[in-house]
Amino acid sequence: MEPEERLMSKARKVIPGVDPKLLIKDAAKLLPNPARRLFLRGATSLGAITLLTGCDIVDEESAAKALLTISRFNDRVQALLFNPDKLAPTYPESAITRPFPFNGYYPEEDAPEVDGETYMLEVGGLVENKKPWTLEELYALPQEKQITRHVCVEGWSAIGSWTGTPLRDFLKRVGADLTAKYVWFQCAEGYSNTIDMPTALHPQTQMTFRFDNEILPRKYGFPMKIRIPTKLGFKNPKYVIGMHVLNQDLGGYWEDRGYNWFSGI
Ligand SMILES: Nc1nc2c(c(=O)[nH]1)N[C@H]1C(S)=C(S)[C@@H](COP(=O)(O)O)O[C@H]1N2
Ligand SMILES: [Mo]
């Protein structure tokens, strides 16, 4: 199904009294500057919004379509603005949020229980060495710690401590084609997501094995998650069982449900 169709099939009823112009302006506020400023300056009338998004906003459906256009505009602009060398802020130990929130598309007690003894990380796609990795082999990789902020679109953020091996070192080690466009992650419970190669190669993008100096607990993604401090929470897959280097965008759980793809912060 195309994202448009997905969105349309999920579109709610028209809410009486909701001003489509305000709705679009709220969405545009999520754009990074200077795109936000440019967009808001142009979007001063409904006529201008129609021109910018190509949609005549008459009901919830056309508003959703316009939002998708803004989201894609957002993706393009953010991909252009993404600086592969710019680091996300780091924090002292004292800033760590305790307890750190759990989030998933299900309650915490339904989080997958992965058996570390039999776990194998599958590595596929455009890589020279497709040998699967045991947890013991992964734990033997060089590791570093980062204390960074996790931002979730659902409206919370928290500072955590994650330890693991830089994803770019792992990709080089397995002979990944670093000119490929994407890395797609598969998770134990069916979650998945795709990141672009510049993000995969960002120095702070990490294959994480420990949280707060302890073995990564079940709720935070045991045995391995991908920590990306330059991306929103949903772009940080937990319970990762497969990693595939691809030139094709396979999307992901939330990406397929209309969240904007790039989702940088
Ligand atoms: N496998 C998997 N990874 C996932 C999710 C999920 O439901 N399943 N939720 C995402 C979302 S929306 C957020 S905010 C973070 C939450 O991570 P945390 O539980 O460590 O706070 O995980 C992300 N990665
Ligand atoms: Mo999230």
Side-chain angles (χ1 to χ4, degrees):
M1 212 193 317
E2 288 297 308
E4 278 91 351
E5 291 170 49
R6 282 182 207 278
L7 260 183
M8 293 315 105
S9 65
K10 294 191 83 187
R12 283 161 296 159
K13 290 268 171 299
V14 178
I15 308 161
V18 167
D19 180 346
K21 194 172 141 191
L22 286 179
L23 175 71
I24 299 302
K25 285 207 161 194
D26 281 340
K29 282 185 197 142
L30 299 173
L31 291 168
N33 268 325
R36 173 175 44 208
R37 244 176 308 154
L38 286 174
F39 194 94
L40 288 176
R41 198 182 299 153
T44 46
S45 68
L46 259 186
I49 291 168
T50 307
L51 266 179
L52 279 166
T53 63
C55 308
D56 203 0
I57 302 163
V58 288
D59 54 18
E60 182 87 9
E61 197 171 301
S62 42
K65 207 164 187 168
L67 286 176
L68 191 66
T69 308
I70 293 177
S71 163
R72 285 189 178 151
F73 174 72
N74 196 358
D75 275 351
R76 282 199 300 276
V77 171
Q78 288 199 42
L80 286 174
L81 293 179
F82 184 72
N83 178 346
D85 302 316
K86 190 168 176 259
L87 298 181
T90 55
Y91 300 85
E93 296 271 342
S94 58
I96 294 172
T97 309
R98 293 194 172 88
F100 190 88
F102 161 86
N103 203 19
Y105 61 94
Y106 40 75
E108 190 176 324
E109 59 269 24
D110 294 342
E113 272 179 90
V114 177
D115 180 356
E117 295 288 317
T118 54
Y119 174 84
M120 284 282 199
L121 173 69
E122 195 190 309
V123 180
L126 304 167
V127 297
E128 277 162 22
N129 190 347
K130 296 196 167 98
K131 176 191 90 67
W133 289 65
T134 64
L135 203 45
E136 208 185 333
E137 289 167 329
L138 290 172
Y139 283 167
L141 293 167
Q143 297 191 30
E144 47 190 58
K145 179 158 96 179
Q146 59 166 273
I147 300 175
T148 49
R149 184 183 289 279
H150 171 120
V151 181
C152 172
V153 269
E154 285 168 66
W156 58 273
S157 91
I159 294 171
S161 160
W162 291 275
T163 303
T165 205
L167 179 62
R168 64 172 177 187
D169 293 351
F170 184 79
L171 289 173
K172 285 178 194 158
R173 198 177 280 260
V174 298
D177 175 358
L178 303 183
T179 68
K181 285 192 183 147
Y182 307 106
V183 184
W184 178 61
F185 299 102
Q186 269 178 303
C187 309
E189 87 286 42
Y191 194 87
S192 63
N193 84 281
T194 304
I195 61 172
D196 57 299
M197 189 59 83
T199 300
L201 299 178
H202 186 276
Q204 287 169 310
T205 299
Q206 185 191 70
M207 283 171 86
T208 302
F209 308 116
R210 299 177 87 80
F211 181 82
D212 212 4
N213 305 317
E214 307 285 342
I215 294 286
L216 194 64
R218 174 179 160 212
K219 60 180 170 179
Y220 302 139
F222 180 83
M224 197 268 280
K225 71 170 274 174
I226 304 293
R227 172 67 193 137
I228 314 175
T230 55
K231 286 281 184 286
L232 290 170
F234 81 90
K235 282 285 196 184
N236 291 232
K238 306 190 282 184
Y239 322 102
V240 176
I241 55 167
M243 184 189 295
H244 300 261
V245 177
L246 305 168
N247 275 318
Q248 191 196 353
D249 176 10
L250 292 188
Y253 186 86
W254 288 114
E255 290 88 335
D256 295 352
R257 285 159 180 81
Y259 274 33
N260 81 305
W261 193 92
F262 196 77
S263 286
I265 50 174

